[in-house]
Amino acid sequence: MTRRIAILISGRGSNMVSLIEAAHAADFPAEIALVLSNRPDAGGLDRARQADIEALAIDHKAYSSRESFEQALDASLRERNIDFICLAGFMRVLTPWFVERWAGRMLNIHPSLLPLFRGTHTHQRALEEGVLVHGCTVHFVVPELDAGPIVAQAVVPVVPGDTEDTLAARVLMQEHALYPQALRLICEGRARLEGGKVVFTNAWSAEGSLRSPK
Ligand code: GAR
């Protein structure tokens, strides 16, 4: 059964585009049915419409509380029979109420190798710490910020002369490949939640490594 996915964004939506493009493949086990932004000016909304996907803005500033904003969000998702949510640069913290309602059915992509560098400014903090590898993580969303069970990670080297921008660009390229892969694993049942951990079937290769410096 093809799952109906909603992508939640706040900005330019480059991860959203990579999910939309991946879902065009005939064998992709999910359909991108809706894009929602909490910011009416998010560039990703137009990009979604250009791809013929319904794109809605639900402006959090128009609501008096976090809860009432999330109730509107939840109602829009349910009206459209959404099965699964992908957060892609969605920059509003979600309350435990919303997260519990979508428990096990909501993924996020985060620009660091979790559990390192939760929160914001991940690339700057990686550079400050002097780590030699960095990357991105797709994980299930739980009430604690950036703390849910990990579905997939990609690693990049940090190289001399890197700035926040060069490192962010290197990580972003990996994000675009990783998120569709992780969504596919889940929708095909090859990655599933069991007892708060992700269990995999036929998804492994124990070969290869990334050493930095090489
Ligand atoms: C991405 O790098 C994503 O990992 C990050 O925001 C960027 C959104 O870019 N997400 C977070 O920091 C979530 N805490 P995009 O709008 O081009 O996909």
Side-chain angles (χ1 to χ4, degrees), residues 37-104:
S37 171
N38 65 310
R39 296 184 54 124
D41 61 350
L45 287 171
D46 278 342
R47 298 173 85 177
R49 289 182 190 122
Q50 279 159 22
D52 279 331
I53 290 173
E54 185 186 8
L56 275 183
I58 300 184
D59 186 352
H60 65 273
K61 292 197 194 117
Y63 294 84
S64 57
S65 65
R66 224 172 248 283
E67 288 73 16
S68 56
F69 161 69
E70 290 182 358
Q71 271 160 11
L73 207 61
D74 187 65
S76 296
L77 295 163
R78 282 170 199 274
E79 273 162 23
R80 288 163 182 81
N81 297 317
I82 297 300
D83 304 303
F84 205 93
I85 298 174
C86 290
L87 304 180
F90 184 71
M91 301 312 266
R92 288 293 292 167
V93 173
L94 294 162
T95 68
W97 174 78
F98 187 91
V99 173
E100 294 301 351
R101 250 174 119 70
W102 290 90

Side-chain angles (χ1 to χ4, degrees), residues 138 140 149-153 181-182 185-186 189-194 197-205:
V138 175
F140 280 102
I150 292 174
V151 181
Q153 294 187 300
Q181 184 194 353
L185 282 178
I186 286 164
R190 287 192 291 143
R192 56 193 189 281
L193 262 184
E194 273 182 32
K197 287 238 157 52
V198 181
V199 178
F200 297 89
T201 313
N202 293 334
W204 286 121
S205 160

Side-chain angles (χ1 to χ4, degrees), residues 9-16 47 88-91 108-112 119-120 122-123 136 145-146 168 171-172 175-176:
I9 62 168
S10 300
R12 66 190 165 185
S14 72
N15 276 291
M16 173 204 77
R47 298 173 85 177
F90 184 71
M91 301 312 266
N108 180 44
I109 186 150
H110 182 76
S112 80
T120 55
T122 56
H123 308 304
C136 50
L145 192 67
D146 301 329
V171 172
L172 192 64
E175 292 185 40
H176 294 163

